[in-house]
Amino acid sequence: MNSLSIANCIGNTPIVRLSRIFGNQDVRVYAKLELLNPGGSVKDRPAKFIIEQGLRDGSIPKGAHLIESTSGNLGVALAMMSRVYNLQLTCVVDPNISKTNLEIMKLYGAHIEMVTERDACGGYLETRIARVKSLLQEKQNGVWINQYANVRNWQSHYHGEGEELLKQLPERPDYLVMGVSTSGTILGIARRLREAYPELKVIGVDALGSMLFGNKPGKRFLPGIGASRVPELLAKEEIDDVIYASDLESCESCLDLVKDEGIFAGGSSGSVVAAIKKLIPHIPKGSCIATLFPDRGDRYMDLVYNAEWRATLQQGDAQFIPQFIRKKMPAVCTPEYDVSLAV
């Protein structure tokens, strides 16, 4: 690959200290700005890693037609990388996708399959995956990326942000607070950081209405966090606690980020900020918290940053106030896992 390819611009994102939004709290919070990746999100990492490793070991043959279910960001990242490597791509999406992400995928040349039927849990994930499986039968040389089960998903974050944070963080982190969807990002980073900091507490952030940690399904409108099925990658025993954030709480915290820190971030960034607000009263003073902002806000102008859209959340959110703040997970174990690279 040309050394000046856009793919070489992925990674090495900076960290910032959130000294204003949490300035009156006796904690230190550092956020890694994955929103500064060239494709606009943390999903650039697995897209690059999965495609490049797959091309090296033959699991993605030359001329393959990639197929993936995506809520938006991975679709953009895969579309960008498909341009670099001259691959065909079909993205299976649903109506919750940001209009901007949808148009970017089309601009990159991705084929779009929109599913509109909700699954048995009230979401679209199962119907998206069903459509992926049918496309695999239809497309010659079809390859399913399968971010929900592909170990290269979490490996990309282990070798990526996890490695970078070890060098960037100015002090030992006590807590890692991150949103959960496929679980690849949180697990990859946590596994790398725990090699250096075994006492690290890992806090997952989930959406109200998500089924990831055993709760009843409900309607969710913000893409990028939560899921209506449990991904094959998810290792609950490696997550110490879970904090829940509603769509409205996430939106309000996004607005706080802009106002207090000048950071224009997407919905799941607001989710982790809302979760950290809930976490702080329960942890020792002087704690250090590391987090990650997955994507940028310009993809959410018709959602998070649209006052009329937020008003619809407010009307329906009052009856869905969380009955808990934290949900204790099983004791953390130290599993064995493969972090090898294709050669």
Side-chain angles (χ1 to χ4, degrees):
M1 183 178 66
N2 189 319
S3 61
L4 298 180
S5 163
I6 191 69
N8 293 94
C9 300
I10 295 170
N12 295 310
T13 54
I15 67 169
V16 295
R17 180 175 173 183
L18 305 180
S19 56
R20 296 173 180 84
I21 198 168
F22 298 112
N24 61 345
Q25 306 285 342
D26 191 9
V27 296
R28 293 170 304 285
V29 182
Y30 300 95
K32 190 161 176 61
L33 301 182
E34 286 298 292
L35 51 83
L36 294 179
N37 277 306
S41 85
V42 69
K43 295 295 188 178
D44 286 9
R45 307 259 192 178
K48 178 178 187 287
F49 192 84
I50 291 170
I51 288 176
E52 291 184 349
Q53 293 289 305
L55 290 171
R56 286 191 186 104
D57 69 10
S59 56
I60 297 178
K62 186 177 180 180
H65 189 129
L66 306 181
I67 303 170
E68 182 59 316
S69 163
T70 172
S71 61
N73 284 328
L74 183 63
V76 170
L78 287 171
M80 179 178 69
M81 291 301 301
S82 294
R83 290 294 89 202
V84 173
Y85 285 107
N86 196 30
L87 298 168
Q88 292 291 309
L89 171 68
T90 294
C91 294
V92 181
V93 303
D94 65 56
N96 284 342
I97 189 172
S98 131
K99 293 179 182 178
T100 304
N101 272 339
L102 187 61
E103 292 306 313
I104 293 172
M105 283 187 279
K106 292 178 181 178
L107 182 65
Y108 273 124
H111 306 284
I112 303 298
E113 290 277 335
M114 175 75 73
V115 302
T116 57
E117 181 182 351
R118 290 187 180 271
D119 57 33
C121 298
Y124 294 99
L125 184 52
E126 292 291 357
T127 50
R128 289 202 326 244
I129 291 175
R131 183 59 183 138
V132 166
K133 291 179 178 178
S134 65
L135 285 169
L136 286 172
Q137 304 300 316
E138 300 170 15
K139 302 291 185 182
Q140 187 175 11
N141 298 324
V143 176
W144 183 14
I145 295 297
N146 197 1
Q147 60 176 318
Y148 307 99
N150 193 329
V151 296
R152 285 178 171 163
N153 181 352
W154 72 259
Q155 288 175 350
S156 73
H157 304 290
Y158 174 98
H159 293 290
E161 308 98 298
E163 196 69 41
E164 293 167 20
L165 280 168
L166 288 178
K167 302 172 183 176
Q168 292 175 314
L169 287 169
E171 57 184 305
R172 174 182 60 83
D174 300 299
Y175 297 88
L176 176 68
V177 181
M178 293 184 53
V180 186
S181 182
T182 69
S183 76
T185 309
I186 189 171
L187 291 180
I189 295 174
R191 286 168 177 171
R192 185 64 188 97
L193 292 184
R194 275 184 166 148
E195 291 177 359
Y197 308 113
E199 301 303 315
L200 179 74
K201 297 296 182 185
V202 178
I203 312 296
V205 181
D206 198 8
L208 284 178
S210 166
M211 291 184 64
L212 284 173
F213 297 96
N215 290 325
K216 293 181 179 180
K219 288 186 178 180
R220 296 174 292 110
F221 299 99
L222 277 182
I225 188 171
S228 55
R229 70 185 282 267
V230 179
E232 292 85 349
L233 288 180
L234 180 59
K236 296 179 184 179
E237 68 276 7
E238 296 182 47
I239 298 175
D240 295 285
D241 285 283
V242 179
I243 300 176
Y244 290 84
S246 70
D247 286 342
L248 182 58
E249 288 173 321
S250 300
C251 291
E252 290 173 341
S253 290
C254 281
L255 296 176
D256 289 342
L257 267 178
V258 173
K259 175 173 63 73
D260 295 335
E261 300 285 352
I263 297 175
F264 185 35
S268 56
S269 300
S271 301
V272 297
V273 169
I276 291 170
K277 292 175 183 177
K278 296 178 180 181
L279 175 66
I280 288 174
H282 300 277
I283 62 177
K285 292 182 177 180
S287 294
C288 173
I289 300 171
T291 190
L292 178 148
F293 291 161
D295 61 357
R296 57 193 185 214
D298 53 2
R299 313 282 173 87
Y300 297 82
M301 290 302 295
D302 54 334
L303 300 174
V304 173
Y305 297 99
N306 182 302
E308 292 181 2
W309 187 83
R310 291 198 308 274
T312 65
L313 295 180
Q314 198 156 10
Q315 293 166 7
D317 220 19
Q319 61 186 359
F320 205 30
I321 295 173
Q323 300 301 308
F324 43 79
I325 294 178
R326 308 172 75 199
K327 182 183 178 92
K328 186 65 180 176
M329 300 306 298
V332 172
C333 66
T334 305
E336 295 183 2
Y337 36 77
D338 181 14
V339 294
S340 60
L341 301 173
V343 293

